Amino acid sequence: HAICHRFLDTTHLRINYLSSEEFLNRFIESIAALGHRPLQKDALDTDILVLDDIQFLAGKEKTQDQLFRHFHLFMEQRKQIIVSSRTSPRETTGFQGRLTSRFQSGLVTRLEAPNFELRVAILLRKARLRHLNLSVDAAELIATQTPSSARELEGALSQVVNAAAAQGAPLDLETARAALKDTSPEERS
């Protein structure tokens, strides 16, 4: 998401963000409708394709064939594909060799879990974007109890927001503490 927002803020490029599940669903819909034309039209109308959690396409041969076609189309037109995965391309299993080599052919970088300060900033920004008045103390508590990923932060924030709404309470430290007291990070995501 951060990559997409950065491109949107700094360029006029057309960006298409898809989770792997959305890519798979679009592929299935395109087969049912008109062959592969809708997916190819998406590719032609996009400057940058961002595919999230590519590891979920492991073992899905036909979908991988379509993904390879996308890579080919984008390379022909000098467009970009950005792929995210929980593992590096060398550790990825269940993919066709030709796709794995495409994954390895570009810039590969590892993103570390956000530090405490960044987690707090993420929470405050997400709250602000949702027009919520989250206190800094509550954001710090959520960030302390949710150390791994931005997705888990969103889940914990939603849990606190829902608890506050149900109780008619403010988004403060006390509400956050009560909302998160009996949950582990795995239950929040």
Side-chain angles (χ1 to χ4, degrees), residues 1-9 15 17-19 22 50-53 82 84 111 125-126 150-151 154:
H1 288 272
I3 291 169
C4 292
H5 287 291
R6 180 60 143 193
F7 278 117
L8 289 171
D9 290 345
I15 300 167
Y17 170 90
L18 295 173
S19 68
E22 289 170 318
V50 180
L51 289 174
D52 198 10
D53 291 328
I82 299 170
S84 77
L111 299 178
R125 178 174 166 83
K126 290 200 175 285
R151 283 197 183 127
E154 283 188 85

Side-chain angles (χ1 to χ4, degrees), residues 175-186:
T175 304
R177 190 175 284 135
L180 299 176
K181 73 175 183 174
D182 293 329
T183 58
S184 66
E186 294 81 29

Side-chain angles (χ1 to χ4, degrees), residues 44-105:
L44 296 173
D45 292 342
T46 300
D47 296 311
I48 300 171
L49 175 63
V50 180
L51 289 174
D52 198 10
D53 291 328
I54 199 77
Q55 71 273 3
F56 293 118
L57 297 182
K60 295 177 174 59
E61 293 295 318
K62 296 290 185 190
T63 306
Q64 288 181 32
D65 288 341
Q66 184 61 44
L67 181 57
F68 182 80
R69 285 188 204 98
H70 266 62
F71 267 96
H72 184 71
L73 274 172
F74 273 66
M75 287 172 62
E76 271 185 352
Q77 297 175 17
R78 298 185 182 265
K79 296 180 178 184
Q80 290 185 330
I81 294 182
I82 299 170
V83 177
S84 77
S85 177
R86 292 181 186 239
T87 59
S88 74
R90 294 185 195 282
E91 298 168 338
T92 302
T93 60
F95 281 89
Q96 300 168 356
R98 63 187 184 165
L99 270 178
T100 302
S101 71
R102 295 296 188 283
F103 297 158
Q104 293 174 350
S105 69

Side-chain angles (χ1 to χ4, degrees), residues 142-176:
I142 297 168
T144 300
Q145 292 190 9
T146 314
S148 4
S149 73
R151 283 197 183 127
E152 288 179 7
L153 283 173
E154 283 188 85
L157 177 60
S158 292
Q159 187 173 342
V160 172
V161 168
N162 291 336
Q167 300 167 9
L171 290 170
D172 61 10
L173 180 60
E174 185 178 319
T175 304

